[in-house]
PDB file of all heavy atoms in Angstrom:
ATOM      1  N   MET R 256    -158.319-116.771-242.516  1.00 98.00           N
ATOM      2  CA  MET R 256    -159.077-118.002-242.754  1.00 98.00           C
ATOM      3  C   MET R 256    -160.408-117.559-243.364  1.00 98.00           C
ATOM      4  O   MET R 256    -161.204-116.872-242.709  1.00 98.00           O
ATOM      5  CB  MET R 256    -159.271-118.760-241.439  1.00 98.00           C
ATOM      6  CG  MET R 256    -160.030-120.081-241.620  1.00 98.00           C
ATOM      7  SD  MET R 256    -160.097-121.074-240.103  1.00 98.00           S
ATOM      8  CE  MET R 256    -161.108-120.030-239.013  1.00 98.00           C
ATOM      9  N   LEU R 257    -160.642-117.952-244.609  1.00 98.00           N
ATOM     10  CA  LEU R 257    -161.794-117.456-245.374  1.00 98.00           C
ATOM     11  C   LEU R 257    -162.788-118.582-245.626  1.00 98.00           C
ATOM     12  O   LEU R 257    -162.435-119.762-245.663  1.00 98.00           O
ATOM     13  CB  LEU R 257    -161.310-116.877-246.703  1.00 98.00           C
ATOM     14  CG  LEU R 257    -160.206-115.813-246.586  1.00 98.00           C
ATOM     15  CD1 LEU R 257    -159.721-115.382-247.966  1.00 98.00           C
ATOM     16  CD2 LEU R 257    -160.689-114.603-245.804  1.00 98.00           C
ATOM     17  N   ASP R 258    -164.031-118.206-245.829  1.00 97.00           N
ATOM     18  CA  ASP R 258    -165.121-119.162-246.000  1.00 97.00           C
ATOM     19  C   ASP R 258    -165.407-119.430-247.471  1.00 97.00           C
ATOM     20  O   ASP R 258    -164.926-118.711-248.360  1.00 97.00           O
ATOM     21  CB  ASP R 258    -166.372-118.610-245.308  1.00 97.00           C
ATOM     22  CG  ASP R 258    -167.457-119.672-245.091  1.00 97.00           C
ATOM     23  OD1 ASP R 258    -167.197-120.863-245.351  1.00 97.00           O
ATOM     24  OD2 ASP R 258    -168.560-119.305-244.669  1.00 97.00           O
ATOM     25  N   ASN R 259    -166.151-120.472-247.708  1.00 95.00           N
ATOM     26  CA  ASN R 259    -166.777-120.799-249.012  1.00 95.00           C
ATOM     27  C   ASN R 259    -165.788-121.193-250.100  1.00 95.00           C
ATOM     28  O   ASN R 259    -166.120-121.141-251.297  1.00 95.00           O
ATOM     29  CB  ASN R 259    -167.632-119.618-249.495  1.00 95.00           C
ATOM     30  CG  ASN R 259    -168.731-119.224-248.523  1.00 95.00           C
ATOM     31  OD1 ASN R 259    -168.840-118.069-248.157  1.00 95.00           O
ATOM     32  ND2 ASN R 259    -169.497-120.208-248.034  1.00 95.00           N
ATOM     33  N   GLU R 260    -164.614-121.670-249.713  1.00 94.00           N
ATOM     34  CA  GLU R 260    -163.672-122.191-250.719  1.00 94.00           C
ATOM     35  C   GLU R 260    -164.234-123.401-251.434  1.00 94.00           C
ATOM     36  O   GLU R 260    -164.049-123.551-252.644  1.00 94.00           O
ATOM     37  CB  GLU R 260    -162.341-122.554-250.047  1.00 94.00           C
ATOM     38  CG  GLU R 260    -161.227-122.900-251.023  1.00 94.00           C
ATOM     39  CD  GLU R 260    -161.243-124.351-251.504  1.00 94.00           C
ATOM     40  OE1 GLU R 260    -161.856-125.192-250.816  1.00 94.00           O
ATOM     41  OE2 GLU R 260    -160.640-124.634-252.545  1.00 94.00           O
ATOM     42  N   GLU R 261    -164.977-124.235-250.724  1.00 94.00           N
ATOM     43  CA  GLU R 261    -165.485-125.470-251.316  1.00 94.00           C
ATOM     44  C   GLU R 261    -166.581-125.250-252.340  1.00 94.00           C
ATOM     45  O   GLU R 261    -166.949-126.178-253.058  1.00 94.00           O
ATOM     46  CB  GLU R 261    -166.016-126.410-250.201  1.00 94.00           C
ATOM     47  CG  GLU R 261    -164.949-126.848-249.177  1.00 94.00           C
ATOM     48  CD  GLU R 261    -163.874-127.748-249.763  1.00 94.00           C
ATOM     49  OE1 GLU R 261    -163.944-128.060-250.970  1.00 94.00           O
ATOM     50  OE2 GLU R 261    -162.955-128.104-249.030  1.00 94.00           O
ATOM     51  N   VAL R 262    -167.111-124.037-252.417  1.00 93.00           N
ATOM     52  CA  VAL R 262    -168.153-123.730-253.415  1.00 93.00           C
ATOM     53  C   VAL R 262    -167.724-122.557-254.296  1.00 93.00           C
ATOM     54  O   VAL R 262    -168.564-121.865-254.858  1.00 93.00           O
ATOM     55  CB  VAL R 262    -169.515-123.464-252.740  1.00 93.00           C
ATOM     56  CG1 VAL R 262    -170.074-124.745-252.156  1.00 93.00           C
ATOM     57  CG2 VAL R 262    -169.427-122.380-251.670  1.00 93.00           C
ATOM     58  N   GLY R 263    -166.425-122.309-254.415  1.00 92.00           N
ATOM     59  CA  GLY R 263    -165.952-121.333-255.381  1.00 92.00           C
ATOM     60  C   GLY R 263    -165.474-120.011-254.864  1.00 92.00           C
ATOM     61  O   GLY R 263    -164.957-119.195-255.633  1.00 92.00           O
ATOM     62  N   SER R 264    -165.660-119.725-253.577  1.00 92.00           N
ATOM     63  CA  SER R 264    -165.128-118.507-252.951  1.00 92.00           C
ATOM     64  C   SER R 264    -165.738-117.201-253.451  1.00 92.00           C
ATOM     65  O   SER R 264    -165.211-116.123-253.196  1.00 92.00           O
ATOM     66  CB  SER R 264    -163.594-118.429-253.133  1.00 92.00           C
ATOM     67  OG  SER R 264    -162.947-119.481-252.489  1.00 92.00           O
ATOM     68  N   SER R 265    -166.866-117.251-254.169  1.00 88.00           N
ATOM     69  CA  SER R 265    -167.426-116.047-254.771  1.00 88.00           C
ATOM     70  C   SER R 265    -168.470-115.364-253.893  1.00 88.00           C
ATOM     71  O   SER R 265    -169.479-114.870-254.387  1.00 88.00           O
ATOM     72  CB  SER R 265    -168.021-116.373-256.142  1.00 88.00           C
ATOM     73  OG  SER R 265    -169.052-117.345-256.021  1.00 88.00           O
ATOM     74  N   THR R 266    -168.230-115.353-252.584  1.00 93.00           N
ATOM     75  CA  THR R 266    -169.123-114.674-251.634  1.00 93.00           C
ATOM     76  C   THR R 266    -168.410-113.477-251.038  1.00 93.00           C
ATOM     77  O   THR R 266    -167.214-113.306-251.227  1.00 93.00           O
ATOM     78  CB  THR R 266    -169.548-115.636-250.518  1.00 93.00           C
ATOM     79  OG1 THR R 266    -168.345-116.091-249.839  1.00 93.00           O
ATOM     80  CG2 THR R 266    -170.301-116.845-251.049  1.00 93.00           C
ATOM     81  N   ARG R 267    -169.110-112.650-250.291  1.00 93.00           N
ATOM     82  CA  ARG R 267    -168.494-111.462-249.711  1.00 93.00           C
ATOM     83  C   ARG R 267    -167.444-111.799-248.652  1.00 93.00           C
ATOM     84  O   ARG R 267    -166.632-110.953-248.278  1.00 93.00           O
ATOM     85  CB  ARG R 267    -169.553-110.518-249.124  1.00 93.00           C
ATOM     86  CG  ARG R 267    -170.307-111.076-247.930  1.00 93.00           C
ATOM     87  CD  ARG R 267    -171.377-110.096-247.432  1.00 93.00           C
ATOM     88  NE  ARG R 267    -170.816-108.955-246.747  1.00 93.00           N
ATOM     89  CZ  ARG R 267    -170.622-108.879-245.441  1.00 93.00           C
ATOM     90  NH1 ARG R 267    -170.942-109.914-244.656  1.00 93.00           N
ATOM     91  NH2 ARG R 267    -170.127-107.787-244.889  1.00 93.00           N
TER      92      ARG R 267
END
Side-chain angles (χ1 to χ4, degrees):
M256 181 173 66
L257 307 175
D258 195 7
N259 303 128
E260 188 276 340
E261 299 293 359
V262 291
S264 296
S265 59
T266 58
R267 66 182 287 268

